[in-house]
Amino acid sequence: MLHKTVTVFSGSSLDICMCLEGDPDLQFLLKGGDLLKVKSKSWRKTRLFRLNEDCKTVWQQTSKTFKSDSSFSLEDIDSVRYGRQTEGLQKYTDSSVEDRCFSIIFKGRRKNLDLIASSKEEAKRWVSGLEKVMTGMHSLNRQQNSEHWFYNCMRKADKNADNKMSLKELKHFLRQINIEVDDSYAEMLFKKCDTSNSGTLEGSEIKHFYDLLTYREEIDVIYGKYASTNGQMSSGDLLYFLQNEQRESVSLEYAKKLIEKYEVDETAKQNKYMSKDGFLIYLNHEEGSIFNPAHKPIYQDMHQPLNHYFISSSHNTYLMEDQLKGPSSTEAYIKALMKSCRCVELDCWDGANGEPVIYHGHTLTSKVLFKDVIKAIKEYAFKTSQYPVILSLENHCSTEQQKIMAHHLTSILGSALLTQPLGHQMPNTFPGPEELKGRFLIKGKRLNKLDAAFNNNATEDVDSVSEEDEAAELKEAEQKPKEKIKLAKELSDLVIYCKSVHFSNFEHSRDNQAFYEMASFKESKAMNLAENSATAFIHHNMDKLSRIYPAGSRTDSSNYNPVPLWNAGCQIVALNFQTPGKEMDLNQARFLPNGKCGYILKPEFQRDPASQFDPANLRVGPWLKRKTLHVMIISAQQLPKINENKQKSIVDPQVKVEIYGVPDDIASKQTHHIDNNGFNPQWNTKFQFTIHVPELALVRFVVEDYDAASHNDLIGLYTLPFTSMQNGYRHVPLLTKRGNLIPSAGLFVHIMALDA
């Protein structure tokens, strides 16, 4: 790899472009062209777009008049959609231009870029070209991303674009890559590399500078310890390293496959040796990651009853921002579903022209048509996971518009909508996610028992039921009586396995509540039950589903800690997906394994009726599997700058390791901070934790920019289940606060989990 990177600084494209050299789609992007940018019915402007030669950014003309321009990074793009697949294009364009439209969807809260090409063929080339380059970027390993990032920074530091680096430019470059050194060290480094004594670095001298700066002593030490065959690591040496240091039960054949896969030197590969470069590349791939690659695909039993799983769930899914005046959008549903959220909420109200709408009632949040939301859900529900999606209806509509809702559900979702229990007789338990693959389940009020779906019990078209969910909580706060609503039979009949009922107490639920009847709990009530009646709550959740939702007072769309509710076996712990933070980070970690499919099988002690598990009182039981966790934070690589606008702003990184789980397992420890080095800081700090219930524990790594005078700023983080961690020397990827990967950054750690 490294031999190519020197040419990056000399002005040619990155390896992505090299790999796609001659590709007609890439050539099309590099040439660029005019596109019609759409913001509203009246705002449509022709703008020039093209892919920059770095193959990582797109240049866009922002004004014809002032000839201004700007660029955006491909790393900021979440997806590219062909056709009128956004609210903006559906609202502001005619269906006649469907095949000329495409949209660039950005990560986070940045607005979509809606565009119209001059022809169908041109639109398709933009979409396929961008997807091709983005796929190439994502396929790069961390090592390659680091090299690309490094040389891209070099090119920026080359102020006069002469493909050489002066001492002044070198100092500027070091600040740019997040490292502060004194002048004497910079001069020493420069002189050491300037073998031609020309006063500038160029060609092989820049490669030498790269090698010096990116040298990792810790990798040398580890490699030297295990490379015992004439200074090189044979397949036998590698096997010994894997078995003794990484604690993996693997064979010699596996070690040989790693050499075949990652060794860059052909001679070493033929001799079944792994060089230091190959060893580093292995450590930077998934086999060397802290996350166990065996947990990446679906590996759990997916035939257990639905209530035996934690289910990734969203609250007020339609909201993009806060609960009072923020926009409602189909885009919010798409984003949640693409994160494998499997339970979304629809807050339904009467709308104009007989069409029901979704919004946060009695607030200034905008409205979106119910049918548009159902269309978006139908389109995106099963793109990242095939397992069932629950549509949680909060129904405030008149019976007339409820019938319209039922019509839209049945006509748009078609056979994917579950309208009858599975099987030919009345069930007594839930089917599993596998049996419900590709199906939609409606959660809401129902007029009669589920067995009416089999024996066709006669009911009136309309009856009165009590709405007990969020609306009731809001009205309690306003000191108004609970709402009685009329329920249309057409909508009622679509509720099969998720009938909403009021919760009184566990004894009443045990004796009177059918398995398919489920209660929704506001967070304060659920937290109280989880703290004071945990065992009863866990047993309740062995037979039934429970949904938890944030308090109505969280008007800023903040979230509560989901961990105590998972400890109590609650399945549908609904969070505001639009709000980044620790709570959503924990949620992302909980559903990281098992193919990120949105379903995680609960531990057996939360499913076994004989279990007496209490998270706050850990008596002897199958849940008690004490582990001693040893964590050594060794180093970090290429941490991003927090303040890109200040060239002299260098981070002072420190690392926190946090444990979340049952109360006895909650812990947090941190390293010291390192001054002025975000490029290659080293700590070599050791921590020890005791984990009592590993099956419920989450481990969180947080890298912060230390500030003695104010709150530390987040640099990056990564959280994963304790049971999905690999032992040994591991690289830890780092994510932004919104859960997006920071391509070149990471931690290097040593993990050892031992029986206590």
Side-chain angles (χ1 to χ4, degrees), residues 668-722:
S668 178
K669 297 181 180 182
Q670 68 184 41
T671 66
H672 59 284
H673 73 273
I674 293 178
D675 289 329
N676 295 323
N677 188 353
F679 182 70
N680 56 1
Q682 287 198 34
W683 292 273
N684 295 312
T685 302
K686 296 178 181 179
F687 300 130
Q688 181 175 316
F689 303 91
T690 300
I691 311 293
H692 298 83
V693 186
E695 289 172 276
L696 291 175
L698 298 168
V699 182
R700 188 168 186 249
F701 297 87
V702 184
V703 186
E704 294 179 327
D705 181 14
Y706 173 79
D707 192 324
S710 63
H711 182 73
N712 293 345
D713 290 322
L714 176 70
I715 296 174
L717 53 84
Y718 188 74
T719 312
L720 76 167
F722 176 88

Side-chain angles (χ1 to χ4, degrees), residues 168-213:
K168 183 178 179 181
E169 287 172 332
L170 178 113
K171 291 176 182 177
H172 174 72
F173 166 73
L174 290 173
R175 285 194 297 271
Q176 201 172 0
I177 65 170
N178 218 354
I179 184 170
E180 185 74 54
V181 297
D182 59 40
D183 287 349
S184 59
Y185 179 78
E187 289 171 16
M188 181 274 292
L189 205 58
F190 187 85
K191 285 179 180 177
K192 195 169 186 177
C193 298
D194 184 18
T195 53
S196 64
N197 295 315
S198 63
T200 59
L201 305 183
E202 55 184 304
S204 60
E205 294 172 337
I206 292 175
K207 168 67 167 64
H208 184 40
F209 172 66
Y210 172 85
D211 290 341
L212 281 177
L213 204 60

